[in-house]
Each structure stands twice: as structure tokens, then as C-alpha cells.
Amino acid sequence: MSAVRYPLETVGLAAGGTGGHLFPAEALARELQARGHGVVIYTERRGAQFTQALAGLPHLVLPARSLAGGIGGKLAAAAVIMRAAAIARADMKRRGVTLVAGFGGYPSFAPVMAGRSLGLPLLLHEQGTRLSLANRQLLRFADRVATSFGDIGGVDDGARGKLVETGNPVRATILEAARAPYPPLAGDAPLRLLVVGGSQGAAVFGRVVPPALLALPEALRSRLQVSLQYRGDDADAVAAQLRDAGIAVDLQPFFDDMAGRLRDAHLVVTRAGATTIADLLVVGRPAIVVPIPQGGSREEQRGNADALERLGAGWCMAEDDEGFTAPALAARLDALFTDPAILVGAAAAAAQLGRPDAAARLADEVEALLQARAAGTGTGTRG
């Protein structure tokens, strides 16, 4: 049997198991492939479930474990990370990997450290408005840090010379949806509302959104066309209640045509994950964003939501300070749908902030580091 042959030059991409980490990695991988580079994505079992995102992309599923927990948990996690790093290191040597790009999440630790043990350049990408925990820990090893926003927290002054703003790469389906203009909001035309919880889930949307919609005036209810992502056991009853009130609703546990629904929406109610924000801005759709109230992404999502509101592209309704309630949401929806100019203005602001060329800009940074490595001039950091 002949030996497996690999491209002369391959870029390794290390991504956690959520869509927020994997989708930007996928977008960069496909851009690099289009430029003739070899690629391989290193992820863990959750990331491997995004089969459509990984289709046609070489990838390796590594063991992973969070460092959360007591001393015993941290020791067990360290052992898993060491084993995963050894597997990744061997794979990188076989494939001839020449650079590693890390996209955050604890599963990115092992392949990033494997790359550093081989002396490879490291590019980190930060999707949010503040460095994630994983990227903060890996910052000292990075040659460059690509950011989605111009103003980013969690970076010491001494490391700011490594930063370059590229935007957050989005999937091809989102780029296709971005070609459509904001839907007209004239006369008695339908009002299309998209409500989606994202990979973190949003059971609170099922508790807050239906009663908020029922509290709207009949004139608005009769125009509403709602796409509601909801996984509750009472989904059929919730849908029937909304339809009885004159609201056209498509209630499903998961939407596999998210780009099309985002394209057609006048307003989106969603969590504030970085990939969600990037999708909204590229397509140019206003949103009511509800950052998750707890967990490791709490600070990141609140920063994303506040930034969206500050830039005029949406409105933050925080669940943890009781800002996201049925009466509050009903009042917000009533105000927005009654004065369509507000939505049109927020859509325009979002579109101006979108970065449809983010994957290309990030690929440019990869190539700059590769060229600097080939020339033996260090990291290629711009002066």
C-alpha cells in the first residue's frame, strides 16, 4: 500500500465544538482552499456534528475536556489535552502543516499547543468584543490576533501590536442572503419576525415571546408572520394559541434554512453570540438581542449586545436584569412595528457594519504570516 500523500503546504485550523467557533473556521478554510492552500480542521465531537459545515474539508476529531471543576477535574483535563496535543502534533507532521489558526474554545488548546511545539506561527481569531478565556490564555503564544471589532477588551497594552481587525467570517449561505435588500415595510404588508435561540438554547424565548405577541394590538397580530424556534413539549399548544389570535406562525425545534429566514426577516429576536451578530450585520437585519444570563459566554454576549445597540443596529434586552419580559418585549415590538422607519434605519446601520469580506481579509493575514515564515523575517507583523 502506498503512503498517504499530503499537500506541500497546509494550514491547520483549531476550533471549539460550537457553531460560533466552527463556522468562522469553515469560512476561512474554504477561502484558503480556493486560493490553493491545503487545510485541516481540528475540533472535537460536538464540532464533528456540524457535518454540512465540514463537508469536503479534511478534519480530525480530537479528545477534549473542559478545565472547569476542582483539582481532580483540572488534572483529568490536562491529561486529555496532552493526549490530544500528541495526536494533533503527529497529524501536523504527516500533513506538513505550516501555520495554525485558532478560533477559541477549550478544544482549541491542544492543536494550538501542538503547533507551537513544532515552531509553527499562530494566528488567533476572536469573534467577540472581548477576548475569550481560551484566547486570553493563548495570547502570549500568538504572532497575530485577528478581531471582529475595532474595539476589543481583555488585551494588555503590550499585546495590542498583535491586533488586526478583519471581521468575523460567515458561511457562504449567509453571503448569498446578503445580496437581498431589506424587505419593504409598506401599508398592510406582512411583518416577518424571526425568533431563534442559537446553539446555547433559549427556553426563555418560549416563555416570553408568545405572551408578548398575544399582547400586541390586533392590527399588528394580523400582519405578523413569525418563525419561532422552540423545543418545548407544549410546542403544538403554543402554536395553536398564536394562530387562534390571528398570528401566522411556523414553530419548529430547529430551522435548517436559517439564511433564507434571516434574509426575509424584518426583525430578529436572538441571543448575542458572535457568529449570530456577524450574520445579522452581513445580511443587514436589525435585532433584539438577549445575551445569555450565565455561564462562560455571559460577559462576551453582553458586550456583543451592548455594541450592537451602541452602533444603532439593534436593541439589547438583558434577561439577567429583568429587561426581557413579556410586557417589555410587547412594548418594544409595538413601537418598532408601528414606526417602520426605526427598523429601516437599524437595518441600514447593520449593513454598513457588516464585513462580507472577512474571510478574505483573514486569509490575507494567514498568507502574510506564511510569507514572513518563508522569508525568515519573523511574524510579518505590520509596522
Side-chain angles (χ1 to χ4, degrees):
M1 182 179 296
S2 60
V4 177
R5 298 175 66 91
Y6 295 103
L8 292 177
E9 179 181 274
T10 298
V11 176
L13 299 93
T18 68
H21 295 126
L22 191 67
F23 293 155
E26 176 210 352
L28 175 60
R30 298 196 186 281
E31 175 68 20
L32 289 171
Q33 276 190 330
R35 298 185 183 197
H37 297 282
V39 297
V40 56
I41 292 181
Y42 298 100
T43 187
E44 45 108 19
R45 59 175 181 79
R46 293 177 303 158
Q49 295 174 359
F50 293 99
T51 54
Q52 187 174 1
L54 292 172
L57 294 174
H59 59 278
L60 179 64
V61 180
L62 297 171
R65 176 168 174 159
S66 170
L67 287 166
I71 296 297
K74 286 181 170 55
L75 289 174
V80 172
I81 291 172
M82 290 176 62
R83 180 160 60 92
I87 297 170
R89 190 178 193 277
D91 187 75
M92 289 177 184
K93 292 181 70 175
R94 285 195 300 271
R95 296 178 189 270
V97 170
T98 51
L99 178 145
V100 175
F103 287 82
Y106 63 84
S108 70
F109 269 95
V112 165
M113 298 313 297
R116 294 308 288 176
S117 75
L118 293 170
L120 304 182
L122 172 62
L123 170 71
L124 293 179
H125 182 267
E126 179 52 55
Q127 297 89 50
T129 56
R130 184 176 182 83
L131 278 188
S132 66
L133 177 60
N135 280 347
R136 286 200 299 271
Q137 295 295 323
L138 295 171
L139 178 61
R140 64 186 182 276
F141 304 113
D143 297 292
R144 189 165 298 162
V145 181
T147 68
S148 301
F149 298 89
D151 183 18
I152 185 168
V155 182
D156 295 335
D157 290 342
R160 290 200 170 270
K162 298 180 178 183
L163 303 186
V164 57
E165 183 183 355
T166 61
N168 192 6
V170 299
R171 293 158 288 169
T173 54
I174 296 296
L175 291 176
E176 181 68 25
R179 299 179 181 179
Y182 185 68
L185 271 168
D188 58 354
L191 300 169
R192 290 189 286 273
L193 177 68
L194 172 62
V195 183
V196 58
S199 62
Q200 295 281 0
V204 67
F205 287 3
R207 298 193 299 271
V208 171
V209 174
L213 298 178
L214 294 172
L216 292 174
E218 181 181 357
L220 290 180
R221 295 201 308 269
S222 64
R223 295 174 59 194
L224 277 176
Q225 293 183 358
V226 180
S227 295
L228 174 59
Q229 185 188 67
Y230 181 56
R231 302 182 178 93
D233 294 336
D234 59 344
D236 291 341
V238 169
Q241 188 180 30
L242 292 173
R243 294 186 183 116
D244 288 345
I247 298 171
V249 60
D250 182 6
L251 191 155
Q252 298 183 34
F254 179 78
F255 294 128
D256 56 9
D257 56 347
M258 187 61 68
R261 291 178 188 266
L262 182 58
R263 176 199 62 213
D264 296 338
H266 293 107
L267 178 65
V268 182
V269 179
T270 185
R271 288 301 197 192
T275 294
T276 297
I277 299 296
D279 290 351
L280 289 168
L281 296 181
V282 168
V283 181
R285 296 299 180 264
I288 294 170
V289 284
V290 186
I292 60 173
Q294 56 193 7
S297 299
R298 175 183 178 179
E299 185 178 6
E300 173 193 334
Q301 289 213 3
R302 185 58 187 261
N304 295 342
D306 288 342
L308 195 73
E309 182 167 75
R310 184 174 65 254
L311 296 168
W315 301 269
C316 174
M317 298 186 73
E319 182 183 349
D320 52 3
D321 59 13
E322 299 185 357
F324 187 63
T325 63
L329 179 60
R332 175 79 69 180
L333 293 173
D334 193 352
L336 294 175
F337 286 139
T338 302
D339 188 355
I342 301 175
L343 287 174
V344 172
Q352 286 187 326
L353 295 165
R355 281 289 185 73
D357 62 344
R361 292 166 64 93
L362 191 55
D364 289 344
E365 297 302 324
V366 168
E367 290 184 334
L369 287 174
L370 289 173
Q371 291 168 6
R373 182 175 188 264
T377 57
T379 64
T381 301
R382 291 174 173 79

